[in-house]
């Protein structure tokens, strides 16, 4: 449940319509990546028009998340080394990081959760030998897009939401009480506005109810994995303040549902934390 029944649906859609579009160069780059005729040269030229974005892409490409043997020094080299799919995730990461101009404790907390969830997504996808590692990484970054947007548009009100979560209330519960809608709905609507695929929008919308009956089997699988990785991030303390609900029980249930045994879960948690700590400075 991501919105209250009495909340006017048109009001929510209109509110999202007023939100800023995806930055021009990032939007063009993501469209170009989806073009089967796209070339590395075209993408290099395009990213070269936004020096701040290009610099952040290079920084992320060299982070511990991608464990490169040698330093990547040019955008063209980054594209050739990491490939288009991974580059898509990196561009999204760089853009999301720029979404919140103000960067206080709560912005830091939400951003840390997005990054840690994305790291866990890569590790879990590799461990389970899933063919969609980069897609899952992207979903990990985007799953809490709604929180970043709410923080940008309604900073004081969202701080009140976060304060509620320090008394054992979940983000969804506090958001529904405060706004009449939750961050998954806002995230999904913004992802749709930014022209992300329908499956991406649905995964964002349902990452807190991943067994939603209307999801097809493939999408339900990826959504459950994102939910699991989000809980891993919270279990490591990334994404909430002290006093938040205990995520341990739901992490165990989700681990069983995706086929990860307790000892493997602990290894994934340890590796996630190591890579996260090594990579987190990359995004500052």
């Amino acid at each position: 449940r991501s919105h209250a029944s009495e909340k006017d649906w048109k009001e929510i859609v209109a509110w999202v319509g007023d939100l800023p579009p995806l930055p021009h160069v990032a939007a063009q780059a993501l469209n170009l990546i989806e073009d089967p005729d796209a070339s590395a040269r075209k993408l290099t030229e395009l990213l070269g028009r936004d020096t701040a974005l290009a610099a952040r892409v290079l920084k992320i490409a060299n982070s511990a998340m991608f464990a490169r043997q040698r330093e990547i020094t040019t955008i063209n080299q980054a594209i050739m080394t990491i490939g288009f799919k991974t580059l898509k995730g990196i561009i999204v990461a760089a853009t999301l990081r720029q979404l919140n101009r103000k960067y206080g404790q709560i912005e830091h907390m939400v951003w840390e959760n997005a990054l840690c969830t994305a790291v866990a997504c890569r590790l879990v996808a590799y461990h389970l030998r899933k063919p969609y590692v980069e897609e899952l990484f992207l979903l990990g970054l985007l799953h809490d897009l709604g929180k970043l947007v709410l923080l940008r548009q309604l900073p004081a009100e969202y701080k009140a939401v976060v304060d509620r979560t320090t008394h054992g209330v979940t983000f969804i519960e506090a958001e529904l009480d405060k706004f009449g809608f939750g961050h998954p709905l806002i995230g999904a609507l913004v992802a749709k506005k930014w022209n992300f695929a329908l499956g991406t929008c649905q995964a964002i919308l349902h990452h807190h109810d991943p067994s939603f009956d209307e999801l097809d089997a493939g999408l339900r699988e990826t959504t459950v994995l994102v939910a699991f990785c989000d809980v891993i991030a919270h279990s490591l303390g990334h994404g909430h303040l002290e006093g938040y609900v205990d995520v341990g029980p739901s992490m165990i249930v989700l681990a069983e549902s995706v086929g990860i045994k307790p000892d493997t879960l602990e290894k994934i948690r340890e590796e996630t934390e190591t890579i996260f700590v090594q990579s987190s400075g990359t995004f500052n």
Side-chain angles (χ1 to χ4, degrees):
R1 197 166 70 95
S2 57
H3 74 283
S5 54
E6 70 275 9
K7 191 72 179 176
D8 184 356
W9 182 250
K10 288 181 184 172
E11 185 189 333
I12 296 171
V13 173
W15 187 80
V16 170
D18 290 337
L19 295 176
L22 195 64
H24 186 62
V25 169
Q28 283 189 302
L30 293 176
N31 285 335
L32 192 56
I33 287 168
E34 297 301 327
D35 181 351
D37 297 322
S39 67
R41 182 181 59 79
K42 277 187 193 172
L43 202 47
T44 300
E45 286 174 4
L46 177 60
L47 288 172
R49 293 182 208 161
D50 185 333
T51 52
L53 179 62
R56 196 171 284 279
V57 164
L58 281 179
K59 202 173 178 188
I60 297 169
N62 283 300
S63 72
M65 272 185 295
F66 302 104
R68 299 294 149 211
Q69 296 304 309
R70 60 195 180 90
E71 187 181 6
I72 295 169
T73 55
T74 67
I75 289 293
N76 190 65
Q77 195 183 356
I79 294 165
M80 302 305 286
T81 307
I82 62 184
F84 276 28
K85 276 188 177 178
T86 302
L87 186 68
K88 184 176 179 178
I90 289 174
I91 290 169
V92 168
T95 305
L96 289 183
R97 180 59 188 82
Q98 291 168 330
L99 189 65
N100 293 89
R101 290 181 294 271
K102 176 182 172 293
Y103 197 62
Q105 180 192 25
I106 296 173
E107 288 85 359
H108 184 70
M109 173 192 80
V110 174
W111 174 245
E112 279 198 342
N113 177 261
L115 177 57
C116 191
T117 301
V119 169
C121 279
R122 278 177 70 86
L123 290 172
V124 169
Y126 276 126
H127 176 78
L128 295 174
R129 295 184 171 84
K130 298 298 179 186
Y132 43 75
V133 175
E134 301 312 331
E135 287 88 339
L136 209 59
F137 175 75
L138 182 65
L139 286 173
L141 285 171
L142 285 170
H143 78 286
D144 274 351
L145 172 60
K147 287 183 183 175
L148 290 169
V149 170
L150 286 164
L151 267 171
R152 179 193 168 105
Q153 301 302 117
L154 302 167
E157 293 91 335
Y158 206 73
K159 184 178 185 305
V161 165
V162 175
D163 287 345
R164 285 280 314 280
T165 67
T166 63
H167 297 90
V169 176
T170 67
F171 280 98
I172 296 281
E173 290 165 343
E175 289 160 355
L176 283 172
D177 188 45
K178 183 76 176 171
F179 305 120
F181 52 77
H183 70 271
L185 176 63
I186 298 303
L189 289 170
V190 173
K192 184 174 184 293
K193 179 179 181 174
W194 288 357
N195 293 320
F196 281 99
L198 178 61
T200 300
C201 300
Q202 286 185 299
I204 293 169
L205 180 60
H206 295 293
H207 75 272
H208 283 292
D209 58 331
S211 57
F212 186 64
D213 289 342
E214 290 174 32
L215 294 177
D216 66 50
L219 188 53
R220 189 177 298 127
E221 179 180 83
T222 55
T223 307
V224 169
L225 287 171
V226 172
F228 174 48
C229 293
D230 176 35
V231 172
I232 288 176
H234 278 288
S235 79
L236 294 167
H238 305 304
H240 60 265
L241 302 180
E242 198 171 334
Y244 194 62
V245 293
D246 179 14
V247 299
S250 57
M251 180 172 65
I252 291 164
V253 169
L254 285 165
E256 284 177 5
S257 74
V258 300
I260 288 183
K261 295 188 169 78
D263 58 335
T264 306
L265 172 59
E266 203 43 49
K267 283 177 190 166
I268 288 171
R269 288 180 73 250
E270 287 171 9
E271 198 171 344
T272 296
E273 180 68 0
T274 299
I275 295 172
F276 168 78
V277 168
Q278 290 172 349
S279 303
S280 57
T282 304
F283 294 84
N284 293 336

